[in-house]
Amino acid sequence: MSVLEEMRIRSLGVIDDAVVELSPGFTAVTGETGAGKTMVVTSLGLLLGGRADPALVRVGAKAAVVEGRITVSRGDAAAVRAEEAGGEIEDGALLVSRTVSAEGRSRAHLGGRSVPVGVLAELADELVAVHGQTDQQGLLKPARQRQALDRYAGDGVQVPHTGYAAAYRRLRAVVTELDELTTRARERAQEADLLRFGLDEVAAVEPLAGEDTELAAEAERLGHAEALASAAALAHAALAGDPEDQEGVDATTVVAAAGRSLDAVRAHDPALAALADRIGEISILLADVAGELAGYADQLDADPLRLAAVEERRAALTALTRKYGEDITSVLAWAEEGVSRLTELEGDDERIGELTAERDTLRAELSVLGRQLTEARTEAAARFAAAVTEELASLAMPHARVSFAIRQTEAPDEESGIDIGGRSVLYGPSGADEVELLLAPHPGAQPRPIAKGASGGELSRVMLAVEVVFAGSDPVPTYLFDEVDAGVGGKAAVEVGRRLAKLARSAQVVVVTHLPQVAAFADRQLLVEKTVDGSVTRSGVTVLEGEDRVRELSRMLAGQEDSETARAHAEELLETARADV
């Protein structure tokens, strides 16, 4: 079993530097009001991933530091999680630390390794159950009461709840999609009509990819056919000569003459021969270009009918690109996407039918699982209430009776509910049940919600009884109670101390208390004292033994450490506690 052995607290609230040594059994933390007892709870909260508040850093200090040593066994959930995070366990001890700077920055270390604060919070689930005044207020909320009942029920509720939660999430998604399809039916119909119109326009034109570019080039050529033909003829005459101008000079004749003049002497110099070869290549190239110019001029057709047809086709394509894309390739891509979207829109009716059928199936499934949850909660509620009632008898509430009210709220119509026991009832992510914890504090009293039927002291004892019951069904290694005995006194306080001592037989229990009746049952009592400057130093948290413990119990009883009557009562309390143990 994991045990929190020791905490060192530095620069936190009123604590300057103190070491808290805890018992593996029952440790009571006592001291004057304002001495800093609750800083023990705050420190443990920080050590296990709680929210870091820079206001807690002691004035003048750069940071608050809390360090803890936890004894763990190999295979414990806490040990496994620590090793997964890279932490080391030395001699069965796991070192944990948390630093909070005055600027608000927070750092966490686990087993010598820096880790995210969330890892410490995960350890908290395995190591410690913390309860204080805020937890008592939380227990007043029906949602928390349902969670407590489900936790107690275990697999009986967890198994159907897992299936229920999955079906509920899917139903929410189905209903959302159905609502979108039905409420936007007109918009989607309009979108489909626009798509059909556009696709019909594209289909009527039957454009081809790249056709607009090709037609633009052809239109440019046809529009300037005469100029192009004239330029080609002039270029051809310059290269190959004009048959009608016998005295004209052309490039082919000139280059041929140059080549002949070099051919006569090329044998005498390889360099000149190379130049002659290059002139020969020029002659061939000139002849090729001249031939192509002649062919271009012959093929060029200044056909006004063809030009009109090209411009008409281009106008049809431009009408498409104005609406559906920058060019014809984009228009064709839009049409392809439009066909897919239109198919989706035209399938709405079919999709609505499929979703409606799935919704009805899921609602039927939720009805079955919801009934299973109700039955499991009802069965667990009887056991839970009986166990808590039995515990209350041990806490000086022998006539108190705890029970659960499990009910459902009628749905205004069948569409908004699920069938539970032949009734259409409202439902949520955790089922259809509204769970409320009731208390009848004495015979003849009507069971009432604990928020209304329990006094402060009774609520504290109900809270403790609930935790003791949980300890038997879902135990954790350490329980921390922050003045859970508030509002309790006299015989009831003795019974609270006795019950905490019993709980400490199977777990570590740490209690911050102002009641001597509770502190007397502790295996170890720690006294938190301030120095004259208002701080708690290393010597300010001491383990009380013998005469020192009697003196502190006397102070707690009568406010006077040297009162003989109080001392006698304190010794009697200690004897009573030892006899019980």
Side-chain angles (χ1 to χ4, degrees), residues 474-493:
D474 186 19
V476 294
T478 301
Y479 294 89
L480 177 61
F481 295 95
D482 182 14
E483 297 194 14
V484 73
D485 51 16
V488 177
K491 182 180 179 182

Side-chain angles (χ1 to χ4, degrees), residues 41-306:
V41 179
T42 301
S43 299
L44 187 56
L46 286 174
L47 205 59
L48 295 172
R51 188 179 67 87
D53 184 355
L56 295 173
V57 179
R58 185 168 172 76
V59 176
K62 293 182 179 179
V65 180
V66 182
E67 300 169 317
R69 185 173 70 247
I70 302 171
T71 300
V72 295
S73 301
R74 295 288 179 182
D76 283 355
V80 171
R81 184 65 189 93
E83 290 175 338
E84 289 175 350
E88 295 183 0
I89 299 172
E90 298 182 0
D91 299 326
L94 177 63
L95 301 181
V96 186
S97 71
R98 181 82 179 277
T99 302
V100 180
S101 73
E103 291 78 26
R105 293 188 300 273
S106 173
R107 291 181 297 158
H109 289 81
L110 179 65
R113 178 67 62 87
S114 177
V115 297
V117 173
V119 174
L120 301 188
E122 292 175 19
L123 282 184
D125 294 336
E126 305 293 342
L127 290 174
V128 179
V130 180
H131 293 287
Q133 296 299 308
T134 57
D135 300 275
Q136 291 187 24
Q137 296 302 314
L139 189 63
L140 301 180
K141 301 177 181 178
R144 286 286 298 275
Q145 294 169 11
R146 190 198 65 242
Q147 292 170 6
L149 178 59
D150 289 354
R151 174 184 162 194
Y152 177 80
D155 289 345
V157 165
Q158 186 59 43
V159 172
H161 187 273
T162 299
Y164 178 95
Y168 180 84
R169 288 192 297 270
R170 177 55 190 162
L171 178 60
R172 292 298 93 200
V174 167
V175 169
T176 299
E177 187 175 352
L178 261 177
D179 288 344
E180 180 183 358
L181 289 175
T182 54
T183 57
R184 294 184 56 200
R186 179 177 299 177
E187 295 177 16
R188 296 168 76 90
Q190 292 173 348
E191 182 184 355
D193 286 342
L194 289 173
L195 280 173
R196 290 190 194 94
F197 180 81
L199 291 171
D200 288 344
E201 276 194 316
V202 174
V205 176
E206 296 183 342
L208 301 175
E211 184 182 3
D212 51 342
T213 303
E214 294 176 2
L215 289 175
E218 185 178 359
E220 185 73 13
R221 185 169 64 252
L222 290 171
H224 298 82
E226 292 183 2
L228 291 172
S230 176
L234 290 174
H236 179 268
L239 294 178
D242 185 350
E244 298 180 359
D245 184 6
Q246 299 297 326
E247 296 181 358
V249 179
D250 59 81
T252 301
T253 301
V254 172
V255 172
R260 287 193 300 270
S261 66
L262 294 181
D263 284 340
V265 295
R266 63 184 295 161
H268 303 301
D269 187 353
L272 192 62
L275 292 173
D277 290 340
R278 292 172 65 184
I279 289 176
E281 294 173 357
I282 293 173
S283 295
I284 295 171
L285 180 61
L286 286 173
D288 288 343
V289 174
E292 290 183 13
L293 284 171
Y296 176 84
D298 292 340
Q299 293 175 2
L300 191 62
D301 185 9
D303 184 355
L305 294 178
R306 175 57 185 167

